[in-house]
Amino acid sequence: DGGITQSPKYLFRKEGQNVTLSCEQNLNHDAMYWYRQDPGQGLRLIYYSQIVNDFQKGDIAEGYSVSREKKESFPLTVTSAQKNPTAFYLCASSIFPGLAGQSSYNEQFFGPGTRLTVL
Amino acid sequence: AQTVTQSQPEMSVQEAETVTLSCTYDTSESDYYLFWYKQPPSRQMILVIRQEAYKQQNATENRFSVNFQKAAKSFSLKISDSQLGDAAMYFCAYRSAYGGSQGNLIFGKGTKLSVKP
């Protein structure tokens, strides 16, 4: 079955610790995304990657870091610099967003999420 | 920059009835895509329906349909014959037809739908 997996489902972090959230996809998608979800805030983009070895900051990248060494994997590290990391984190993937003018839905497919709690 | 607004934080519907969730967006682009995602209590995001801006015909997926009004920049979701399993958060999202970072999804803040038996 093709899909996106995230691990762990629940993660607890002590203050001052870095933690890494895993995201893996076997959909052969080029693009991958990380979102943060807080109550009443919808989904906010943290980082995205359109191809391997390249990634870009989203709207709320401060305190987070990512890597994209393999097409299938896009781990997110929540660093100690992130002041309020308690949230639900969603990973998504899509086919390559493409060039301007290309007509394609390019809808994003989501993983099941990771709930991060700071103790 | 584009924005998506869902003005109803919460909605309620009786089982088997019809409910409409509102979504408006702001953009200066003429070509784009619109989506409705459902997030049930499991928190798994599921694509419900999608619409291309240059298509006049409103999209339909079984009990789900949209009312796309391009001039008014409105994209409402209608759920017919509501079922208990429809209870969820619903997110409206916009994506530019242009590539690169412009092609990222922009989400509204969501509408929580409750279904009463």
Side-chain angles (χ1 to χ4, degrees):
Chain A
D1 278 334
I4 303 175
T5 58
Q6 290 185 243
S7 62
K9 187 173 182 179
Y10 300 98
L11 186 58
F12 299 91
R13 190 193 93 168
K14 294 181 181 178
E15 288 202 22
Q17 264 186 342
N18 292 353
V19 291
T20 297
L21 283 59
S22 170
C23 178
E24 304 275 336
Q25 56 97 1
N26 61 4
L27 300 168
N28 199 33
H29 284 166
D30 292 295
M32 298 186 74
Y33 312 81
W34 274 105
Y35 294 93
R36 171 177 171 143
Q37 186 177 17
D38 296 282
Q41 290 291 326
L43 275 70
R44 293 183 290 169
L45 184 64
I46 305 172
Y47 267 99
Y48 65 98
S49 168
Q50 296 184 349
I51 55 173
V52 175
N53 293 321
D54 185 60
F55 49 84
Q56 305 294 330
K57 292 182 179 180
D59 301 318
I60 56 166
E62 186 175 351
Y64 300 96
S65 65
V66 293
S67 63
R68 187 84 188 278
E69 297 175 1
K70 298 186 301 180
K71 187 176 184 178
E72 303 79 16
S73 178
F74 191 42
L76 173 74
T77 296
V78 185
T79 75
S80 56
Q82 171 48 239
K83 298 304 179 188
N84 184 22
T86 294
F88 188 66
Y89 291 86
L90 284 159
C91 179
S93 70
S94 72
I95 64 174
F96 183 62
L99 302 173
Q102 280 192 355
S103 176
S104 173
Y105 282 110
N106 289 348
E107 62 259 36
Q108 294 182 15
F109 296 83
F110 286 82
T114 293
R115 173 70 184 176
L116 173 62
T117 302
V118 174
L119 301 174
Chain B
Q2 294 82 16
T3 59
V4 176
T5 302
Q6 294 180 248
S7 59
Q8 307 149 316
E10 296 188 25
M11 293 278 288
S12 181
V13 63
Q14 204 72 32
E15 196 175 6
E17 298 294 309
T18 296
V19 64
T20 298
L21 308 184
S22 300
C23 173
T24 57
Y25 56 94
D26 188 26
T27 184
S28 58
E29 298 174 339
S30 59
D31 199 9
Y32 48 86
Y33 302 91
L34 296 164
F35 305 87
W36 278 100
Y37 280 90
K38 168 185 177 181
Q39 188 181 43
S42 67
R43 305 200 78 170
Q44 174 73 57
M45 292 283 283
I46 303 164
L47 179 65
V48 175
I49 198 164
R50 59 191 191 183
Q51 174 82 41
E52 298 176 67
Y54 58 85
K55 284 192 174 179
Q56 299 286 341
Q57 188 172 6
N58 289 324
T60 299
E61 290 287 344
N62 300 313
R63 298 183 294 107
F64 298 87
S65 61
V66 297
N67 183 4
F68 174 48
Q69 301 289 328
K70 191 173 183 179
K73 297 179 184 176
S74 172
F75 184 60
S76 60
L77 174 69
K78 186 172 83 171
I79 306 174
S80 304
D81 185 26
S82 296
Q83 300 176 0
L84 295 177
D86 295 333
M89 283 290 290
Y90 286 82
F91 293 96
C92 179
Y94 170 102
R95 188 184 81 78
S96 170
Y98 296 95
S101 62
Q102 294 172 277
N104 290 334
L105 281 176
I106 300 168
F107 286 89
K109 293 187 176 183
T111 296
K112 183 178 181 180
L113 177 67
S114 302
V115 180
K116 298 178 180 178

